[in-house]
Amino acid sequence: MSTNFPDVFGHLEGEQPAVEPWSATADTFSGRVQVEWDSSAPVTPLGQLPFFIEYLKQGGLFDGWVADCPLLFTSPNAPAKRDLLGTVMLSVLSGHYRYAHITTLRCDAVNPSLLGMKKVISEDAVRRGLAKIDEAAGLAWLQTHLDYCIRPLLSEPWVLDVDSTVKPLYGHQEGAAFGYNPQKPGRPSHCYHTYLMSNLRLVLGVDVQPGNEHTPKHAMSGLWSLLHRLGRDRWPALLRGDVSWGVEPVMARAEQERLPYLFRLRMTANVRRALIKVMDERDWLDAGQGWWGKEASLRLVGWARHRRVILLRRKLVLSASAPLRSPATRGTIPLRRGVEGHAVPEMSVDVHQRTA
């Protein structure tokens, strides 16, 4: 007795195979959809949206986000809450930054249904609906769902980056104020104090302040409220910021909370003198990528104590006619000419500090 294996025939010419090698299936709120790629078609910003919608559905993220929204309509003619929030999300994913841009979504007959929406509502309906959300309740709603998404990542060691961005404003906008605005001096602006997970560039929180509140003292309350909300067991291994954060109030609070920090220092006169003093010493250590580092201790004006600083330097290749100064120092520290046209380590070093 033997087993007969029937011959397996391929598809006849012109017959469509069951699964294309350039296609995939996504499980959306409107059911399973087949997605195919056309290599000759132009790229669209929402081309990968079905797979993102599948992620939202499988994780229950979109349904929970809509259900917890503190928005309640009483009129029978009001749009569905899912349609309003879905329209906002599609607009954000499309890169829109004005309500008027929502109009471009109204001709989309595919993506809204994948989110379980009945229709894309107008820009006026979106504006009126969002205005009904209480500010405190809305912030708590959004922050709760953001924390739910990022909290599992914080069990691993991570670095918290703090940064401030000035956004020039045009027209009449709430909170616009005149302040530090390097791109458009004299124009009102907002300042975004942003807290990010390093490397992933995952935003944990943003505080929008008037343009005249760009210094770290206006961001400290948001920073520490974020950390206390996360819980001590999920705190970062390091707090990192630019030169504006290397000030006494920020460092003293980090030391009080026993949070290691790393801030860049301004090239002040005392820092410049410290660099000149150690420049000829031989115990510089290789810091990688062409940089050499040395540890020192400084107490600058306004500091309550001595703090550990790390000085970094690297060699520059200069021509015979090049000026012997570093353009990034904004100072007048001279560079000594080295052999073979190389400058002795540059003075535009990155100066960092952290707790000892």
Side-chain angles (χ1 to χ4, degrees):
M1 184 175 179
S2 62
T3 302
N4 295 326
F5 295 94
D7 295 332
V8 179
F9 297 97
H11 291 279
L12 298 177
E13 184 176 358
E15 184 178 351
Q16 183 75 8
V19 179
E20 297 285 356
W22 54 84
S23 66
T25 302
D27 186 12
T28 67
F29 292 99
S30 63
R32 298 173 66 86
V33 296
Q34 192 77 14
V35 181
E36 296 182 357
W37 282 268
D38 185 355
S39 58
S40 61
V43 178
T44 62
L46 299 180
Q48 303 293 328
L49 185 60
F51 304 103
F52 181 62
I53 293 176
E54 180 180 20
Y55 161 74
L56 296 178
K57 178 182 178 181
Q58 298 298 331
L61 301 178
F62 186 70
D63 286 337
W65 184 61
V66 173
D68 294 342
C69 178
L71 176 63
L72 179 62
F73 290 116
T74 56
S75 172
N77 298 322
K81 186 164 62 172
R82 190 183 192 92
D83 292 342
L84 188 148
L85 297 179
T87 300
V88 173
M89 192 182 78
L90 289 176
S91 180
V92 171
L93 293 177
S94 299
H96 298 168
Y97 52 89
R98 293 184 181 275
Y99 285 108
H101 298 163
I102 294 177
T103 306
T104 61
L105 298 175
R106 307 199 72 178
C107 59
D108 189 345
V110 177
N111 291 312
S113 62
L114 300 184
L115 275 173
M117 300 167 51
K118 296 181 179 178
K119 62 179 180 179
V120 174
I121 65 177
S122 67
E123 56 174 293
D124 294 328
V126 170
R127 187 184 293 109
R128 290 192 299 267
L130 295 181
K132 293 180 178 294
I133 300 178
D134 179 72
E135 181 179 357
L139 289 175
W141 160 60
L142 293 175
Q143 193 64 58
T144 298
H145 285 269
L146 177 61
D147 292 345
Y148 175 80
C149 294
I150 58 95
R151 194 175 295 271
L153 301 175
L154 305 183
S155 59
E156 300 292 335
W158 59 287
V159 175
L160 175 61
D161 283 342
V162 289
D163 185 46
S164 299
T165 302
V166 176
K167 179 188 177 184
L169 299 178
Y170 302 88
H172 300 282
Q173 298 194 35
E174 181 181 359
F178 296 98
Y180 174 71
N181 192 341
Q183 295 181 347
K184 297 288 184 178
R187 180 167 291 280
S189 61
H190 281 161
C191 184
Y192 293 170
H193 299 290
T194 311
Y195 317 107
L196 311 98
M197 182 181 293
S198 179
N199 292 335
L200 293 180
R201 309 306 295 171
L202 184 63
V203 177
L204 306 182
V206 179
D207 291 332
V208 181
Q209 304 286 356
N212 58 356
E213 298 183 3
H214 59 274
T215 59
K217 72 177 183 180
H218 299 105
M220 286 184 60
S221 59
L223 170 63
W224 294 108
S225 63
L226 167 66
L227 293 176
H228 291 156
R229 185 177 65 250
L230 295 177
R232 183 76 196 202
D233 57 332
R234 293 185 175 88
W235 274 25
L238 184 69
L239 174 64
R240 187 168 63 182
D242 58 12
V243 292
S244 62
W245 288 83
V247 293
E248 176 65 24
V250 178
M251 295 185 293
R253 178 64 184 273
E255 293 162 1
Q256 177 184 350
E257 300 285 350
R258 304 185 64 82
L259 176 62
Y261 59 85
L262 179 65
F263 299 137
R264 187 171 180 175
L265 282 181
R266 298 183 185 277
M267 187 66 72
T268 61
N270 289 332
V271 175
R272 189 176 294 110
R273 280 192 290 267
L275 282 170
I276 296 175
K277 181 179 178 181
V278 302
M279 210 58 180
D280 292 330
E281 297 182 6
R282 301 294 182 182
D283 56 343
W284 289 75
L285 303 177
D286 187 3
Q289 299 182 359
W291 290 89
W292 292 79
K294 181 176 175 56
E295 181 179 330
S297 179
L298 287 179
R299 181 178 180 179
L300 302 180
V301 176
W303 288 12
R305 55 185 288 268
H306 280 80
R307 290 187 170 91
R308 178 190 180 197
V309 299
I310 306 298
L311 310 178
L312 297 178
R313 69 182 187 181
R314 64 179 176 180
K315 290 186 177 181
L316 292 179
V317 179
L318 298 178
S319 63
S321 60
L324 293 181
R325 65 166 57 185
S326 173
T329 59
R330 298 179 184 176
T332 58
I333 301 178
L335 296 179
R336 293 191 296 108
R337 182 74 65 188
V339 296
E340 299 180 355
H342 291 271
V344 177
E346 71 168 16
M347 303 302 293
S348 62
V349 295
D350 292 73
V351 185
H352 302 283
Q353 62 191 20
R354 62 182 179 182
T355 54

